[in-house]
C-alpha cells in the first residue's frame, strides 16, 4: 500500500477513531495532540444513527453503555423550576434532544485513546508547526523541534484547526451561528436528579444543568451574540470570561446564582463562539481534514461526534481501497459530504428560536415544545428536534 504511515493531528474524538480504523485496515498512525494529555472537560456528546453503527462495528457498544450518563430526558423549566415541557430520552425513537446514548466527551475520548494506544504512537504536548509536501512524502516540523516524514497527514484538530490553516490557508469558512456558550462542571445537588434541565431567561440567555455519571453536574451558560459581531470572547483569559458571564447572566433567575458562584472555582471552564466550518475541498495533496476541523456542524446540530466517527470509518476504508491517496480522498469526500451538509443544515431560526429575547417569546417556545410531545404535531417538528443521523447508509469496506 502506498500510504503506510499517517500522521493525525488531534487526539479528540475523530483522531483516535481514525487511528482505530487505519489499524483495522493494516495502516499505521501517529497522533500528535497539543494538550499534555487527553482533554477533560466538555459536556455529553451523542452518538446517533450511522455514528452508533460505526461504534458497534468497533466493538465499543458495551463500553459506551457502561459510561453512558443515563439521563432520563430533558425538562424545560421556568424561573420557579416548574416543568413547562418534557422529552424523555426515548422520545422520537431515542433520537430526540437527549439521545439514548449520551456519554461525557472526556470519557469517550479517553476510551478511544485506551483502545488505540497499544498500536498507535501518541505524541502529547506537541503540534505541527510546518508542513511541506513533496511528490512522495510530507515533511513535518513539530513544535518540539523534531522533523519527520509521513505518507499522509490528517487534520483532526477541531473546529479551530491550526493544521488545516497551515495547509489550506483561509479556505476554511468558520461561521459563527450567533450564540456564545460556556461549559463547566459544578458540584451536584440532590435536586439535579437524573434529568437535564433547560432554563430560558429573557434577553436571549439559556442556563442548562445536566447530571453526569460522576456525581457532578455539567452546567452551560449560552447567550445570543451577533454572528457578525467582532467581540472575540473566546480569546479572553478565563478570569475575564468569568467576569463577562457574571455580567451577562446577572439576575437571570432560577439556579443561575448557584451556577455563577460554582463557575468561579470550576476547573474546566470552556467558552466558545458556537460555529460551523465549511470547506470547498476536504483535501490538498497529501493532507485531508476530518471531523470538526473540516465540517464542524456545531453542538447545536447534535451531530459532531457522529460525523467524526463516520468520517474516520469512511476515510480509513477509502485509503485501504485505493493505492492513490488522491482517489481515496476524493471518494471520502464524495461519500461523506452530503451527510455532513445535511448535519450542517440547521433548521430555520436556530438558535434564535430556542433562545428567545422576550418573556412572550419564551412562553411561545414552551407552548410549541409542549405541543411537540403530541405524536401528531411531533412529525411536523421533527426537523427541529431530530438530527438527520439516520440519513446515511454506511459503505461496507470488506477487510
Ligand atoms: C474541550 C472540549 C470540550 C467539548 N465539549 C463539547 C460539548 O460539551 N458538547 C459538544 O457537542 N461538543 C463538544 N466538543 C466538540 C466535540 O468534541 C466535537 O464536535 C466532536 O466530537 C468532533 O470531534 P473532533 O475530534 O473532530 O474535535 P475535538 O473534539 O474538538 O478534538 C480536537 C482535538 O485536537 C486538539 N488540538 C487542537 N489544536 C491542535 C493542534 N494544533 N495540534 C494538535 N492537536 C490539537 C484538541 O486539544 C482536541 O483534543 C468539545 C470539544 C473540546 C475540545
Amino acid at each position: 500500500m502506498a500510504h503506510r504511515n499517517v500522521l493525525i493531528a488531534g487526539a479528540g474524538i475523530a483522531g483516535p477513531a481514525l487511528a482505530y480504523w487505519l489499524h483495522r485496515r493494516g495502516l499505521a498512525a501517529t497522533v500528535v495532540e497539543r494538550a499534555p494529555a487527553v482533554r477533560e472537560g466538555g459536556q455529553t456528546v451523542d452518538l446517533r444513527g450511522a455514528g452508533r453503527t460505526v461504534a458497534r462495528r468497533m466493538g465499543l457498544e458495551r463500553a459506551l453503555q457502561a459510561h453512558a450518563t443515563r439521563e432520563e430526558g430533558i425538562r424545560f423549566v421556568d424561573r420557579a423550576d416548574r416543568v413547562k415541557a418534557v422529552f424523555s430520552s426515548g422520545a422520537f425513537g431515542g433520537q430526540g434532544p437527549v439521545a439514548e446514548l449520551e456519554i461525557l466527551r472526556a470519557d469517550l475520548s479517553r476510551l478511544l485513546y485506551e483502545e488505540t494506544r497499544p498500536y498507535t504512537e501518541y505524541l502529547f504536548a506537541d503540534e505541527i508547526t510546518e508542513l511541506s509536501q513533496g511528490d512522495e512524502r510530507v515533511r513535518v516540523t513539530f513544535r518540539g523541534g523534531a522533523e519527520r516524514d509521513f505518507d499522509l497527514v490528517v487534520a483532526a484538530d477541531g473546529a479551530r484547526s491550526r493544521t488545516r490553516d497551515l495547509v489550506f490557508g483561509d479556505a476554511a469558512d468558520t461561521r459563527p451561528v450567533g450564540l456564545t456558550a460556556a461549559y463547566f462542571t459544578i458540584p451536584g445537588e440532590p435536586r439535579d436528579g437524573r434529568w437535564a434541565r433547560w432554563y430560558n431567561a429573557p434577553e436571549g440567555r439559556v442556563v442548562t444543568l445536566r447530571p453526569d455519571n460522576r456525581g457532578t453536574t455539567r452546567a452551560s451558560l449560552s447567550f445570543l451574540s451577533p454572528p457578525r459581531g467582532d467581540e472575540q470572547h473566546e480569546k479572553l483569559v478565563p478570569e475575564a470570561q468569568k467576569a463577562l458571564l457574571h455580567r451577562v447572566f446577572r439576575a437571570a433567575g432560577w439556579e443561575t446564582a448557584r451556577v455563577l458562584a460554582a463557575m468561579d472555582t470550576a476547573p474546566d471552564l470552556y467558552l466558545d463562539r458556537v460555529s460551523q466550518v465549511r470547506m470547498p475541498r476536504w483535501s490538498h495533496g497529501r493532507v485531508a481534514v476530518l471531523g470538526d476541523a473540516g465540517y464542524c456542524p456545531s453542538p447545536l446540530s447534535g451531530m459532531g461526534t457522529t460525523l467524526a466517527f463516520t468520517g474516520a470509518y469512511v476515510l480509513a476504508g477509502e485509503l485501504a481501497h485505493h493505492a492513490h491517496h488522491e482517489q481515496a480522498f476524493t471518494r471520502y469526500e464524495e461519500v461523506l459530504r452530503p451527510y455532513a451538509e445535511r448535519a450542517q443544515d440547521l433548521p430555520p431560526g436556530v438558535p434564535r428560536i430556542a433562545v428567545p429575547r422576550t418573556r412572550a417569546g419564551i412562553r411561545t417556545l414552551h407552548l410549541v415544545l409542549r405541543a411537540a410531545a403530541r405524536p401528531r404535531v411531533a412529525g411536523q417538528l421533527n426537523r427541529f428536534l431530530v438530527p438527520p443521523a439516520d440519513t446515511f447508509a454506511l459503505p461496507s469496506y470488506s477487510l
Side-chain angles (χ1 to χ4, degrees), residues 44-119:
T44 59
V45 290
D46 14 292
L47 270 169
R48 303 164 181 268
R52 186 111 182 238
T53 308
V54 172
R56 200 169 302 127
R57 290 185 190 173
M58 294 166 85
L60 284 181
E61 188 84 338
R62 194 175 292 176
L64 293 175
Q65 288 292 0
H67 284 89
T69 52
R70 307 201 186 290
E71 277 173 335
E72 290 183 23
I74 185 165
R75 290 177 170 149
F76 292 82
V77 298
D78 70 4
R79 199 178 173 92
D81 204 38
R82 285 181 298 239
V83 178
K84 294 293 172 180
V86 184
F87 297 101
S88 74
S89 55
F92 301 94
Q95 295 304 316
V98 171
E100 252 169 1
L101 182 60
E102 297 268 353
I103 179 168
L104 286 179
R105 182 196 171 278
D107 284 347
L108 178 58
S109 189
R110 201 170 341 88
L111 218 131
L112 291 167
Y113 168 63
E114 295 296 344
E115 180 74 25
T116 52
R117 67 191 280 203
Y119 49 79

Side-chain angles (χ1 to χ4, degrees), residues 1-22:
M1 198 148 322
H3 21 263
R4 287 201 174 277
N5 96 44
V6 181
L7 174 65
I8 303 167
I13 308 297
L18 179 63
Y20 172 91
W21 281 108
L22 288 175

Side-chain angles (χ1 to χ4, degrees), residues 155 158-159 161 164 277-279 282 289-296 344:
S161 168
R164 171 195 68 209
V277 173
R278 290 162 204 249
M279 296 189 65
W282 289 0
V289 289
L290 173 70
D292 277 6
Y295 33 86
C296 176
Q344 292 190 318

Side-chain angles (χ1 to χ4, degrees), residues 113-232:
Y113 168 63
E114 295 296 344
E115 180 74 25
T116 52
R117 67 191 280 203
Y119 49 79
T120 305
E121 180 190 22
Y122 274 92
L123 310 170
F124 283 101
D126 211 345
E127 67 180 320
I128 302 168
T129 50
E130 263 177 65
L131 270 157
S132 92
Q133 302 203 45
D135 287 344
E136 304 285 321
R137 318 272 282 164
V138 189
R139 170 139 295 196
V140 173
T141 309
F142 293 93
R143 183 168 298 288
E147 264 192 26
R148 287 172 62 179
D149 287 341
F150 293 89
D151 293 322
L152 302 174
V153 175
V154 176
D157 46 346
R160 301 194 183 277
S161 168
R162 189 188 143 100
T163 310
R164 171 195 68 209
D165 294 347
L166 279 176
V167 177
F168 295 84
D170 54 12
D173 173 11
T174 304
R175 292 187 196 173
V177 302
L179 197 70
T180 295
Y183 305 102
F184 46 95
T185 309
I186 67 172
E189 295 278 351
R191 65 180 179 281
D192 293 339
R194 301 288 346 132
W195 286 80
R197 285 181 293 160
W198 170 298
Y199 167 66
N200 284 89
E203 292 158 45
R205 297 172 292 176
V206 170
V207 185
T208 68
L209 289 175
R210 303 185 70 167
D212 63 21
N213 52 339
R214 301 182 186 177
T216 45
T217 293
R218 306 286 160 148
S220 78
L221 297 171
S222 324
F223 57 97
L224 290 179
S225 45
R228 299 282 159 235
D230 24 70
E231 289 140 316
Q232 301 194 321

